[in-house]
Amino acid sequence: MITTEQREKLRGWFAGRLPDDLFEELPELTVDREEITVIGRIPAPRLTEGASATEREAAVRSRMQEFRERTRETRIEVAREAEHRFRRKVSWGVECAGERALFTHVAAPVMTRLRQPERQVLDTLIAGGVARSRSDALAWCVRLVQKHTDDWLADLRDSLEHVQRVRAQGPDAEPEDAPTDTSEGGTEAE
């Protein structure tokens, strides 16, 4: 978790650093301990009136791919600077005509110990074809909780921000731009 002030500095840095013509509007930024995800809106492709859903889908996917290839060097340069400054990997994605695609992202391993009843839940999801492995089943459960508890999670995040602000005023507070541990691997900064 980062504080509201840290999030605002991060958004300000990206707003000032990204070329004005890269996205249609300021990108959406999502941040956690390992990763900064930048998702920007790009123009929808022009289609003939009455284009089929298949034609529309192909055009949107093609537009996203064209953007990815055309902007690769710029995005790598910005990501390198941001990774050095914020000590987090930078991942990229786009939104086009209501569709979203991530180009890169960090898949951070998370270790946990589960008791038999909890493992049985995961094994039932595997047996039912919902997931291929316990890892997939656990990720599915996290997404399900996330989907159904947005308000609760938002309240919890607000509370955590308050705790971080109080901690930052304490005697052991770190400087504002102190690096965080990034010893675990990630993806290329595309």
Side-chain angles (χ1 to χ4, degrees), residues 104-119:
T104 57
H105 54 87
V106 174
V110 178
M111 300 300 291
T112 187
R113 295 183 186 275
L114 300 175
R115 293 186 172 93
Q116 188 178 33
E118 296 157 335
R119 293 190 311 265

Side-chain angles (χ1 to χ4, degrees), residues 1-91:
M1 285 292 303
I2 64 171
T3 65
T4 300
E5 183 179 349
Q6 291 169 327
R7 181 174 282 112
E8 288 171 355
K9 285 182 180 181
L10 187 102
R11 278 196 323 244
W13 186 87
F14 273 93
R17 178 58 184 87
L18 289 174
D20 289 338
D21 61 346
L22 189 63
F23 298 117
E24 288 187 319
E25 58 190 37
L26 289 177
E28 173 187 321
L29 298 177
T30 307
V31 183
D32 68 11
R33 289 186 298 176
E34 294 86 18
E35 178 179 29
I36 300 167
T37 303
V38 181
I39 299 179
R41 181 169 298 152
I42 60 174
R46 287 186 283 190
L47 297 168
T48 59
E49 193 172 322
S52 70
T54 303
E55 182 178 349
R56 179 189 169 285
E57 180 181 339
V60 168
R61 291 205 186 285
S62 179
R63 172 63 52 94
M64 291 176 178
Q65 186 62 34
E66 182 276 333
F67 175 87
R68 181 181 189 181
E69 297 304 323
R70 177 174 43 85
T71 63
R72 184 181 309 269
E73 293 304 316
T74 300
R75 291 182 295 106
I76 288 173
E77 182 180 329
V78 171
R80 284 187 182 135
E81 290 176 31
E83 287 171 4
H84 178 73
R85 180 179 183 94
F86 299 109
R87 303 288 185 226
R88 291 171 171 87
K89 290 292 184 185
V90 175
S91 299

Side-chain angles (χ1 to χ4, degrees), residues 89-188:
K89 290 292 184 185
V90 175
S91 299
W92 297 93
V94 292
E95 182 176 315
C96 181
E99 301 292 325
R100 280 190 173 210
L102 286 176
F103 302 152
T104 57
H105 54 87
V106 174
V110 178
M111 300 300 291
T112 187
R113 295 183 186 275
L114 300 175
R115 293 186 172 93
Q116 188 178 33
E118 296 157 335
R119 293 190 311 265
Q120 287 174 333
V121 169
L122 301 181
D123 292 342
T124 300
L125 292 172
I126 294 167
V130 173
R132 296 182 313 259
S133 65
R134 285 182 172 173
S135 177
D136 284 346
L138 189 55
W140 183 88
C141 290
V142 169
R143 288 190 303 273
L144 183 66
V145 169
Q146 179 185 21
K147 180 178 179 181
H148 293 291
T149 60
D150 284 340
D151 293 338
W152 181 80
L153 288 175
D155 290 345
L156 183 59
R157 286 184 188 110
D158 290 343
S159 296
L160 288 171
E161 283 186 20
H162 177 72
V163 168
Q164 288 178 343
R165 281 193 302 272
V166 171
R167 280 187 187 151
Q169 296 169 0
D172 297 332
E174 294 182 19
E176 285 185 28
D177 290 333
T180 59
D181 180 26
T182 58
S183 57
E184 293 187 32
T187 62
E188 289 290 318

